[in-house]
Amino acid sequence: MSNKMFDFDIETLGEAKISSPIRMSRNNGDGMADYVSDEDRILYSVQTHEEDGVRKPLLDDTMEEAGPREKIYFNPSHVHAAICTCGGICPGLNNVIRAVVRCFWYRYGVRRISGIQYGYLGLLENSSWPLIPLDPDVVDDIQEKGGTILGSARGGGKQVEEIVDSLERLNINILITIGGDGTLRGAYDIGEEIKRRGLKIAVVGVPKTIDNDLSFIDSSFGFDTAVASAVPSVRGAHVEAKNSINGIGLVKVMGRESGYIAAHTSLAQSDVNFCLIPESPFDLDGPNGLLEHVKRRILERGHAVILVAEGAGQEFAPPTGETDASGNIKYHDIGIFLKEKLKSYFKDEGIPTSIKYIDPSYIIRSAPANSYDSIYCARLGAHAVHAAMAGKTQCLVSRVNNQFVYLPIKQAVSKRSHVDIEGTLWRDVLENTRQPFSMKN
Ligand code: ATP
Ligand code: MG
């Protein structure tokens, strides 16, 4: 009996019949790795179970391996490829753009590559931002800088018909989108409209989420840099706290719905005493509330460090009711809220404290990618190009179990990834911070 849970089949525009211009080892003996076939698949889950005395994979689901195909769909001389970056900025965007351009140019010989400015807004009919012609010279050293040379924006992604009109008008037949869940949903809808019109335009996503909250991906690009950039803030908060009488260092990091950055930063810099994430709701007051625990820590040790993810404790304030241009709900600033709460609590308790609040969010987002992410982005970008050239569409590039794979966008956005508070990551965080498992009364 098959034990499949997911649909990991990739859509294509049609049969790939053109021989790839990429030469592999068996053609010229240059020692390069071989082509990857659509039949090369890896297991999604590495978990096993025992059946009739034999160890077997727990799930039968397999994913298509990423990489260059021997036969491609597009004739490189007919390709007009476009790249856009949407949503918030994240370390590594420029690295992905660079890798995409270089792979199209050097490996496939594609000469028409355009950058779309400000995400999907740049594809709207009345866009005032022209396409930016891209080639290896233009992207030569962009990886040195944070952000994206194309600019990024929210909004516009739901005007699907207008976007597809623009793709048709500009003769774009490959669209590479680099963005988060919203961008991917937009890319999927664009792909659906393309299908409805019977067009042959490939849409391939490179998933970007600094929060690392996308499912079916080991870890998203920029995440490692984000954690590395958050560490100095925690270090600073700890030094400040330790050097003051009853010092409290409070740091806020990104993580709207998932607390991965906070959890990993706590492990990277073991100075954190309280790591607060959206997945683990807590009380402020009462004998098991946060304030009481911080007081105990202050009385025992004379200082405390609190690391809070932006999405934690949102229930403490009424919803803002505001949304951004993409429809995302605007959050309360939990950092400022906690700072005020701690201040008034310790004042009422008659305990003098000194609270230092650090919010490094924009510094983290805008940092250039570190070496780990640079390598990762270089490979993601190239794999996105291989998928598109082979005519794969409405898919994204991911790394699962340390292997690069292609995934249907529809499946990837079907659920978010959260820190499992009963899982090993959170257990390790709790062992490090020594905070209670629950701060609910
Ligand atoms: P992040 O939130 O990590 O910064 P994101 O890709 O989720 O990245 P958003 O601003 O939410 O960022 O969305 C980016 C683009 O995707 C916007 O142009 C937006 O209009 C479009 N978009 C957002 N949600 C949807 C949706 N549900 N369907 C179609 N398009 C969407
Ligand atoms: Mg989003």
Side-chain angles (χ1 to χ4, degrees):
M1 195 187 68
S2 164
N3 198 6
K4 274 187 165 185
M5 282 185 69
F6 307 104
D7 179 4
F8 288 141
D9 290 343
I10 304 294
E11 287 194 43
T12 61
L13 295 173
E15 199 188 336
K17 295 182 190 159
I18 300 170
S19 293
S20 171
I22 299 179
R23 297 274 74 91
M24 289 294 180
S25 50
R26 76 177 112 135
N27 302 68
N28 62 5
D30 64 1
M32 293 217 338
D34 205 351
Y35 300 109
V36 176
S37 119
D38 290 352
E39 277 68 52
D40 290 333
R41 301 182 76 91
I42 66 147
L43 280 173
Y44 162 58
S45 170
V46 288
Q47 281 182 301
T48 62
H49 70 144
E50 207 171 285
E51 210 178 282
D52 305 327
V54 183
R55 274 265 133 221
K56 290 189 174 164
L58 186 64
L59 297 177
D60 294 328
D61 297 288
T62 60
M63 298 167 146
E64 203 173 302
E65 254 185 61
R69 276 22 185 190
E70 187 165 14
K71 295 285 179 193
I72 56 175
Y73 180 80
F74 287 107
N75 178 336
S77 60
H78 297 164
V79 168
H80 180 191
I83 311 166
C84 69
T85 47
C86 318
I89 60 167
C90 168
L93 288 168
N94 278 337
N95 302 65
V96 178
I97 295 169
R98 183 173 188 261
V100 166
V101 170
R102 288 168 61 96
C103 189
F104 271 128
W105 188 280
Y106 289 128
R107 306 217 66 196
Y108 288 99
V110 170
R111 291 292 177 265
R112 276 213 302 163
I113 312 167
S114 299
I116 294 160
Q117 299 192 63
Y118 300 105
Y120 291 136
L121 294 184
L123 279 174
L124 299 185
E125 205 182 325
N126 57 1
S127 158
S128 49
W129 302 290
L131 297 184
I132 301 177
L134 298 174
D135 62 36
D137 283 340
V138 175
V139 299
D140 187 33
D141 54 8
I142 61 171
Q143 78 283 5
E144 309 283 345
K145 302 182 200 113
T148 154
I149 56 158
L150 303 177
S152 191
R154 302 193 185 275
K158 289 177 185 156
Q159 279 142 276
V160 171
E161 291 185 11
E162 220 177 302
I163 291 174
V164 179
D165 288 346
S166 300
L167 295 176
E168 277 197 87
R169 190 181 65 249
L170 298 163
N171 285 321
I172 290 167
N173 44 16
I174 291 180
L175 176 64
I176 308 277
T177 64
I178 312 169
D181 56 325
T183 307
L184 290 168
R185 286 197 175 88
Y188 177 79
D189 293 347
I190 292 167
E192 287 295 286
E193 178 64 18
I194 287 168
K195 232 180 341 192
R196 232 183 330 268
R197 295 190 192 183
L199 302 172
K200 299 297 181 191
I201 305 174
V203 184
V204 175
V206 180
K208 173 231 71 165
T209 150
I210 200 164
D211 295 351
N212 197 30
D213 56 0
L214 280 167
S215 296
F216 307 109
I217 181 161
D218 287 350
S219 179
S220 48
F221 77 80
F223 177 70
D224 195 73
T225 307
V227 171
S229 320
V231 163
S233 297
V234 172
R235 193 182 297 130
H238 183 236
V239 172
E240 287 284 349
K242 231 181 150 172
N243 284 268
S244 328
I245 298 161
N246 297 333
I248 299 176
L250 173 63
V251 180
K252 185 184 80 172
V253 288
M254 284 150 302
R256 282 174 62 87
E257 293 181 50
S258 309
Y260 286 106
I261 295 181
H264 282 253
T265 306
S266 297
L267 287 173
Q269 187 75 12
S270 301
D271 297 329
V272 175
N273 308 114
F274 299 95
C275 176
L276 308 173
I277 61 170
E279 294 90 335
S280 182
F282 58 94
D283 286 337
L284 284 173
D285 305 306
N288 199 32
L290 172 73
L291 296 170
E292 189 67 26
H293 282 290
V294 176
K295 183 173 99 180
R296 256 176 252 161
R297 158 89 204 174
I298 288 286
L299 295 178
E300 276 168 27
R301 305 277 302 142
H303 69 282
V305 175
I306 305 170
L307 178 61
V308 62
E310 65 177 318
Q314 286 303 311
E315 62 280 10
F316 296 134
T320 61
E322 291 173 44
T323 51
D324 66 22
S326 295
N328 303 304
I329 295 162
K330 285 201 177 160
Y331 279 11
H332 288 283
D333 193 321
I334 183 67
I336 291 173
F337 173 85
L338 280 182
K339 181 186 168 197
E340 295 307 320
K341 276 282 168 206
L342 288 160
K343 217 157 93 182
S344 61
Y345 172 78
F346 280 100
K347 192 169 168 226
D348 293 348
E349 293 286 312
I351 303 170
T353 51
S354 159
I355 304 173
K356 298 288 187 320
Y357 173 46
I358 303 175
D359 178 356
S361 307
Y362 291 111
I363 295 172
I364 295 174
R365 275 169 41 140
S366 61
N370 65 13
S371 305
Y372 177 89
D373 278 325
S374 299
I375 296 165
Y376 190 21
C377 290
R379 303 186 75 191
L380 283 171
H383 284 311
V385 173
H386 295 317
M389 289 303 292
K392 297 178 193 298
T393 190
Q394 286 173 292
C395 66
L396 55 81
V397 191
S398 176
R399 189 158 64 181
V400 177
N401 302 327
N402 218 17
Q403 303 271 341
F404 286 92
V405 293
Y406 296 135
L407 260 181
I409 288 178
K410 198 175 183 179
Q411 190 61 255
V413 297
S414 61
K415 60 177 181 140
R416 253 183 211 285
S417 168
H418 292 288
V419 174
D420 174 5
I421 60 163
E422 288 176 359
T424 54
L425 171 65
W426 191 238
R427 180 199 64 201
D428 292 351
V429 171
L430 297 184
E431 280 176 3
N432 249 265
T433 60
R434 298 193 293 135
Q435 74 197 67
F437 174 72
S438 167
M439 286 189 280
K440 290 291 268 182
N441 289 297

